[in-house]
Amino acid sequence: ILASSRVESDTITFNASITACEKQGQWNQALQLLSVMAQSKVECDTITFNSACSACEKAMKWEIALQLLSLMAEGKVESDNISCGTAISACKKGGKWKKALQIFCVMKQRQMELDTVTFCAAISAFEAVGEWEKALQLLDVMAKQEVDVDTITCSVAISACEKSRKGEKALQLFSELHARTAGTCPSSGPMHLR
């Protein structure tokens, strides 16, 4: 259709197409479009890579998600919380929690804004391998940095404790979460889980 109507493919049309592939679970097609962009000398931007990375994350293709993150750096395309958070999630799904945490550490070193989703992905990586203490440490860092500690993140941390047979810590965390949501305890500051 586009060829016959003489509409020029640009970054915006490619991004829309890659996003459509991502939403339909067509990671391979998304990567093909990324390749066509490079061959056609159409500029890739953060949105381009985020959509392709998300397609790979959903398909559990952690290696490719990491390659895309590297390509961003090589091509001087700025990665953001979405890029890194998606790569963290892809690594976690692939059982590569150390790689997930390396990305998280790089984000901290680059002084990128760490949001609830990024912290949750990192805590989830610890939860997946039973590193309950590290999951709780990150939860504490979230609270100290006044990052919103939401129900999902707390649930993942509780699950980390439960999987490591630390029921007492899980109950302590649940009690503190309940106190925070009931308004009987300050909503910011450390979680006091030691």
Side-chain angles (χ1 to χ4, degrees):
I1 295 174
L2 288 178
S4 63
S5 65
R6 297 181 193 201
V7 172
E8 187 177 323
S9 296
D10 63 3
T11 303
I12 294 170
T13 56
F14 271 105
N15 285 353
S17 299
I18 292 171
T19 298
C21 291
E22 177 254 331
K23 300 246 185 269
Q24 296 299 312
Q26 298 175 347
W27 66 273
N28 205 11
Q29 185 69 28
L31 294 178
Q32 287 175 7
L33 287 170
L34 194 61
S35 179
V36 170
M37 284 181 81
Q39 291 166 7
S40 304
K41 305 223 185 303
V42 175
E43 183 181 348
C44 296
D45 63 11
T46 304
I47 295 168
T48 310
F49 280 102
N50 286 354
S51 296
C53 194
S54 181
C56 293
E57 180 262 341
K58 288 178 180 175
M60 297 177 60
K61 302 291 182 186
W62 66 270
E63 303 99 327
I64 300 171
L66 289 182
Q67 288 173 0
L68 291 172
L69 209 54
S70 292
L71 284 174
M72 289 178 82
E74 289 171 19
K76 309 260 190 283
V77 176
E78 181 133 3
S79 58
D80 62 9
N81 287 359
I82 295 169
S83 319
C84 295
T86 303
I88 289 170
S89 181
C91 289
K92 182 253 176 194
K93 286 181 179 180
K96 303 298 178 188
W97 67 275
K98 286 184 180 178
K99 290 195 181 296
L101 296 171
Q102 286 173 350
I103 297 166
F104 184 80
C105 289
V106 168
M107 290 178 73
K108 285 178 67 174
Q109 288 170 353
R110 289 176 49 198
Q111 298 182 337
M112 294 176 74
E113 184 180 334
L114 301 172
D115 60 9
T116 303
V117 174
T118 308
F119 269 105
C120 188
I123 290 170
S124 183
F126 282 131
E127 179 257 351
V129 294
E131 292 283 346
W132 67 274
E133 291 174 299
K134 292 179 181 170
L136 295 185
Q137 287 171 359
L138 276 186
L139 198 63
D140 212 26
V141 169
M142 283 180 78
K144 286 177 184 172
Q145 292 181 1
E146 298 183 3
V147 176
D148 184 34
V149 179
D150 65 356
T151 305
I152 294 170
T153 308
C154 280
S155 296
V156 172
I158 289 169
S159 177
C161 294
E162 180 268 326
K163 285 182 178 180
S164 299
R165 300 178 193 252
K166 300 293 178 187
E168 184 178 308
K169 289 289 183 188
L171 288 173
Q172 183 182 356
L173 179 55
F174 174 78
S175 295
E176 183 156 344
L177 174 64
H178 180 70
R180 284 174 182 249
T181 56
T184 58
C185 145
S187 61
S188 63
M191 296 291 283
H192 307 294
L193 295 171
R194 304 287 176 260

